[in-house]
Amino acid sequence: MNDRHIATVLALHFDPDQGSPYWLQRQQQLGFDVRREIRGHADFHRLGPMDVSALRTRPLTDFIPRALHRELATMLLSETGGTTGDPCRRVFSPREFDSAFIAPWLKAVAEHGFPRQGCWLFVGPGGPHIIDRSARFMARSLGSLEPFTVDCDVRWIKRQARGSIGFTLYMEHVLAQAMNIINQQPIDTLFTTPPLLQALAERMQPAQRQRIRGIHTGGMRLDAPTASELRARFPRAVILPGYGNSLFGVTFPVRWDQSQPAGAPLSPPPGLEREDVFQVGDPALWLQLAPIPAHEQADQDLAGRVAPGERGRVIVHRLDPSFLIVNLPERDTAVAVVCPDGEVGLAAVEPLAFATPRDRQGVY
């Protein structure tokens, strides 16, 4: 994220006449001219934490510059899954959607050898969740028919206690639909969450698992034990996890030099899988790792950084013409890792305990 891009986006959102009502109101509260005094991402902390409740409750157009309201009909609406509370909302222009979801995907496909022209099955949320649209664009970008899909209402299943009748019946409903497609269509590419993928693997016949050439996981972390289990279940598949959400887009694992000797400075830290390190490839996005607050009510240190090898809280900054996100504390923590290009990657992503109640994690 370069200073020129930052200046361009801030100039749009803080324009006195045609800017974003939310950010212009925030500027009045801050008492300084943001366009003059915020020169780069090192100054972002001066804007203070973004109000998450505003993303849940204020009219969506309060965040979109008035200069772009004439383009509302072209924008894509996106809502979060509701793990941390009521959903947050934002929009993407078509170009921003491509930059946030499709361009990083195509780069990862090329780097990791993900198969093209497959027959896809997507099991995940539709409706207001942009991951459904990204799944369709991802498949088409590889020369495939758009995916066969099974809609999963992730907000509903988060309300069901694991092991309860409601949870069990809903999982059965989702998995039965998925297996109907797998039994009738030559599915060779899967896109779903790790828990749903594990459940599907239990139901699929060995020949059906052998047919799978590509697996993309999202929504929840693919930890090392689960990845090892899935590699054994799907021995022919390229497994490509993603880390992202409905507000900032998606990132993919770093492609490390496989010839690097063990213990080399740019190798992942001990105990981390190579595919467990994610790196931002989008010039509009910065995922900062800041010191973790001691408790939920503690102030977040927005100016702080964590050293390589240390764990920090993910702070999201995404500067798009249509929508500005600065200093948004995420529900996740990660370990900072120096990647081959010298940039910082995120490893071993895990939910922050006080930001993500275990009883609301569901299967997404």
Side-chain angles (χ1 to χ4, degrees):
M1 184 181 293
N2 61 53
D3 291 351
R4 183 177 179 181
H5 176 80
I6 292 170
T8 299
V9 174
L10 294 184
L12 178 59
H13 283 272
F14 288 92
D15 181 274
D17 299 317
Q18 295 293 309
S20 310
Y22 169 83
W23 285 108
L24 290 173
Q25 180 182 354
R26 182 66 182 145
Q27 180 172 245
Q28 288 183 333
Q29 296 168 344
L30 293 169
F32 64 86
D33 187 336
V34 171
R35 294 175 298 171
R36 291 180 178 274
E37 299 198 28
I38 302 299
R39 314 305 298 177
H41 59 69
D43 299 324
F44 283 173
H45 66 95
R46 297 187 58 196
L47 297 174
M50 191 162 184
D51 184 1
V52 179
S53 66
L55 287 171
R56 304 186 199 278
T57 60
R58 287 188 64 149
L60 188 59
T61 50
D62 281 0
F63 298 91
I64 304 170
R66 293 189 183 98
L68 300 183
H69 282 198
R70 62 183 178 273
E71 300 177 20
L72 290 177
T74 68
M75 294 180 181
L76 303 173
L77 177 61
S78 178
E79 295 188 5
T80 60
T83 301
T84 59
D86 289 342
C88 297
R89 301 173 177 89
R90 70 155 292 167
V91 296
F92 292 90
S93 73
R95 179 177 294 181
E96 293 160 1
F97 171 81
D98 183 83
S99 179
F101 293 95
I102 308 308
W105 162 251
L106 288 174
K107 181 175 183 290
V109 163
E111 291 179 346
H112 295 271
F114 196 88
R116 296 173 177 268
Q117 298 179 323
C119 185
W120 282 50
L121 169 62
F122 169 65
V123 184
H129 309 284
I130 207 164
I131 191 171
D132 171 72
R133 274 165 285 184
S134 68
R136 297 175 191 276
F137 276 85
M138 286 174 172
R140 289 169 174 166
S141 73
L142 301 186
S144 301
L145 176 72
E146 71 170 29
F148 292 92
T149 60
V150 175
D151 187 24
C152 179
D153 187 343
V154 295
R155 296 175 187 168
W156 172 252
I157 203 165
K158 290 179 195 298
R159 301 177 65 180
Q160 313 303 310
R162 282 188 177 274
S164 68
I165 293 177
F167 186 94
T168 301
L169 289 177
Y170 193 78
M171 284 288 285
E172 176 64 31
H173 172 64
V174 169
L175 293 171
Q177 293 178 82
M179 286 307 304
N180 174 267
I181 295 170
I182 290 171
N183 288 333
Q184 306 301 331
Q185 302 296 329
I187 300 299
D188 61 11
T189 307
L190 297 171
F191 179 9
T192 188
T193 67
L196 288 172
L197 188 58
Q198 288 176 292
L200 276 177
E202 292 286 344
R203 297 184 175 221
M204 293 171 68
Q205 296 297 317
Q208 292 172 327
R209 294 197 300 269
Q210 285 283 337
R211 192 167 61 202
I212 302 301
R213 299 185 300 126
I215 294 174
H216 173 37
T217 65
M220 301 176 74
R221 181 193 173 199
L222 178 62
D223 58 34
T226 304
S228 178
E229 173 192 333
L230 293 175
R231 281 193 290 268
R233 290 294 189 96
F234 301 97
R236 298 182 61 220
V238 174
I239 301 177
L240 185 54
Y243 171 60
N245 65 25
S246 301
L247 296 178
F248 72 74
V250 65
T251 64
F252 290 96
V254 174
R255 178 63 177 177
W256 299 86
D257 179 3
Q258 297 299 315
S259 66
Q260 250 180 334
L266 297 181
S267 294
L272 293 178
E273 298 286 340
R274 287 179 178 266
E275 62 266 30
D276 205 26
V277 182
F278 297 88
Q279 187 175 21
V280 172
D282 184 343
L285 177 65
W286 176 36
L287 298 181
Q288 172 191 352
L289 288 178
I292 301 172
H295 52 82
E296 189 169 6
Q297 286 73 38
D299 291 338
Q300 177 68 59
D301 178 7
L302 296 172
R305 306 285 187 276
V306 299
E310 294 181 352
R311 181 170 291 276
R313 186 177 191 175
V314 179
I315 308 295
V316 175
H317 313 271
R318 182 169 187 93
L319 279 71
D320 288 319
S322 75
F323 211 92
L324 173 62
I325 295 175
V326 178
N327 296 332
L328 181 65
E330 251 297 327
R331 72 184 192 186
D332 296 317
T333 67
V335 175
V337 175
V338 178
C339 296
D341 61 1
E343 297 294 322
V344 174
L346 284 66
V349 178
E350 295 178 356
L352 182 59
F354 64 70
T356 314
R358 291 193 65 83
D359 61 358
R360 289 185 62 87
Q361 290 183 34
V363 294
Y364 185 83

